[in-house]
Each structure stands twice: as C-alpha cells, then as structure tokens.
Amino acid sequence: MKILSIQSAVAYGHVGNSAAVFPLQRIGVEVLPVYTVNFSNHTGYGAWRGPLISPEDVREVITGIEERGVFPAIDVVLSGYQGGEGIADVVVDAVARVKAANPDAIYACDPVMGNARSGCFVAPAIPDLLRDRVVPVADIITPNQFELGYLTDTAPDTLESTLASVDLAREMGPRTILVTSVERPDREEGTIEMLAADDRGAWIVTTPHLPFKANGSGDVTAALFTAHYRATGSASDALARTASSVFGLLEQTLASGERELQLVEAQEHYAHPRMEFEVRQVR
C-alpha cells in the first residue's frame, strides 16, 4: 500500500506527518509525505519557528512526485492540518490527479479544526473551506465530535444524535466516517469512545479516558484507521485495531511522564495491537 500524505511537519515532537508516517511505516505502508508547514514544534507550546509552506511550493512537490510516474501506484491520499487557506485547492487537485491515474484510489480527510475544549484553532477561513471544498470530495473523514458538529451544523452528544450527524456528513460525500473523542453523557465514567460508520453499518468502541492532552494522537488515529480500512474493507476491524494501537500509545506516553507522544517507543502497539476492546455494532 502507498499513501500520499499531505500534512504539517515538526522537527520536535509528533504531530501531522511527524505523527502519521512512522506508525504507517511500522505496519508496512509506504508513505510519501508532503509537508504543508515545517515548524520547530507544534503550536500548542505557544511559540514556534519555521515556515508555513506556500500552496505553490506544496503543489510543486506533488507535481514532482507525479512526474516520477508514481500516481498510478498510490492507493490513498491522506490530508490533515492544512495550514494556509490555499492548501485546500492543492489537496483537491492532487486527489483528482491521483484518482485519474488510479480510479481505485481513495481520499481520507482528517478535517482538523479544533476540539470541544479549545474551540477552533485554525485560521478563520479553514473550517468553511474544509466543509465546502474538501470534505465533499473525500471518501473517508475522521472528525472528532466537535468537528463533526461543525461540518453538519449540529450539536451531537448522545449516540442517537451522533449517528444522525454522521448520516448528514455521509450525505455530503464521504461514505466512511470515523468519529473520534465521542463523549456522550450516558457513557461509563472515565471512558471515551470512537464510532465508525460506512454503508454496512455503524460500530462503537469504548476505552478508558487517560487524563492528559496528547497532541498528535488524532493524526495517528486518522492514519492507522485509513490504512486498516483500506487493507480490510472492514470498519469494525479498522476501528478495533486503531483503538487498541492508539490506547497503547497513549498509555505508554502517560507512563513516561513526557509531554510528547512516545511514538517510536510504542511501535509494537501498531505492529501487534492487543485487540483488547470490544467493538459493538450500533446500527
């Protein structure tokens, strides 16, 4: 499997491509990373250095890959945090060109905007660009519950309202939805959930909620779910594997006392997930 991954990159820590590439490689996926920013560290520190890469330069890198004759072999285009406003058009164009070369290729979009606790943390124009230009051409999207609500102009909280929001999102274009950080009021205390839905149904998985913020965990989640779903065609299997791998990564990071994801140290969790969490069909 080959994935063209168009995301941010940092030198220190693990977010964007700096979070997604290694776990994908560890499960045997060939990744072609294209950077939208090249920062010293993620912006959660409040200070960082490095360039926001212009849409023209991002497009040039993608064109160079195309000129090597690689596009027919690309199975997935994956995008995450997009940085500047012009990146959306670059991504949409890249998806069209890859699919023209390989009609079986799919596009997975992680519509990074923000979360329920912090609100939106991207440039003001990005959420509307994602909703109106990018998500409609995606085959898979991996929003958190907050982002799902923005995309569908809803406020999902219960299982029923989250499923209803998923249905609205699927009407926008993508047929497969992974909702991360599902927090419904009637869930068991100290837990958090993820929900996946496609044409075959909908499934949910519950894991313990670890009490810390882990920048980049969503990027790992989107990458692993996309790869597993592409490989198996099973949303429930992809959900089970992803939940196990990401929980193992977060558990190991928490135990380390470090702020940044222990991405390399936790590699066995990607290669050999423990499959310890039950996936339940809810539709």
Side-chain angles (χ1 to χ4, degrees):
M1 186 188 304
K2 284 185 171 64
I3 294 182
L4 176 67
S5 182
I6 308 169
Q7 302 195 52
S8 60
V10 294
Y12 173 69
H14 301 289
V15 299
N17 266 332
S18 303
V21 171
F22 177 69
L24 288 172
Q25 291 172 330
R26 189 64 181 83
I27 63 171
V29 175
E30 181 74 26
V31 188
L32 290 71
V34 176
Y35 301 152
T36 56
V37 309
N38 191 10
F39 289 165
S40 55
N41 52 270
H42 68 69
T43 58
Y45 285 95
W48 64 92
R49 295 179 183 271
L52 190 73
I53 299 174
S54 73
E56 293 75 18
D57 287 338
V58 176
R59 191 187 302 273
E60 279 291 290
V61 172
I62 294 170
T63 299
I65 296 169
E66 183 179 28
E67 290 171 345
R68 302 288 73 76
V70 180
F71 277 12
I74 290 177
D75 301 289
V76 179
V77 179
L78 173 66
S79 72
Y81 175 71
Q82 296 195 6
E85 297 176 18
I87 297 297
D89 286 334
V90 175
V91 170
V92 170
D93 179 61
V95 169
R97 286 151 64 187
V98 167
K99 287 191 171 189
N102 178 12
D104 291 329
I106 63 170
Y107 170 41
C109 170
D110 185 9
V112 178
M113 304 177 200
N115 56 59
R117 291 172 179 79
S118 304
C120 278
F121 50 63
V122 296
I126 296 295
D128 286 351
L129 280 170
L130 286 168
R131 182 191 61 206
D132 300 335
R133 291 276 293 121
V134 183
V135 167
V137 303
D139 300 287
I140 300 172
I141 60 171
T142 60
N144 59 36
Q145 199 171 24
F146 170 83
E147 292 160 343
L148 176 67
Y150 184 90
L151 291 173
T152 57
D153 194 24
T154 59
D157 53 2
T158 65
L159 177 58
E160 292 73 18
S161 62
T162 301
L163 287 169
S165 297
V166 164
D167 289 339
L168 291 173
R170 295 181 74 235
E171 290 174 5
M172 297 170 65
R175 303 305 299 164
T176 302
I177 316 286
L178 173 70
V179 188
T180 65
S181 302
V182 175
E183 300 183 71
R184 52 192 177 109
D186 58 342
R187 72 189 188 282
E188 184 180 346
E189 186 176 355
T191 65
I192 195 164
E193 295 170 319
M194 288 198 295
L195 183 147
D198 65 6
D199 291 338
R200 297 179 181 87
W203 296 263
I204 199 165
V205 63
T206 303
T207 67
H209 184 217
L210 300 175
F212 75 114
K213 181 180 179 181
N215 294 87
S217 58
D219 304 317
V220 177
T221 300
L224 288 176
F225 178 84
T226 296
H228 288 310
Y229 187 79
R230 175 63 175 179
T232 68
S234 168
S236 60
D237 181 76
L239 182 61
R241 291 180 180 276
T242 301
S244 183
S245 294
V246 174
F247 181 79
L249 166 63
L250 294 177
E251 188 176 46
Q252 192 156 341
T253 299
L254 179 61
S256 75
E258 298 289 334
R259 175 172 179 173
E260 294 290 345
L261 290 175
Q262 299 300 288
L263 196 80
V264 175
E265 293 82 352
Q267 61 183 280
E268 285 303 303
H269 291 291
Y270 326 136
H272 305 106
R274 293 179 300 207
M275 307 296 281
E276 69 232 80
F277 302 113
E278 178 190 4
V279 172
R280 297 182 292 108
Q281 188 163 8
V282 291
R283 187 170 63 192

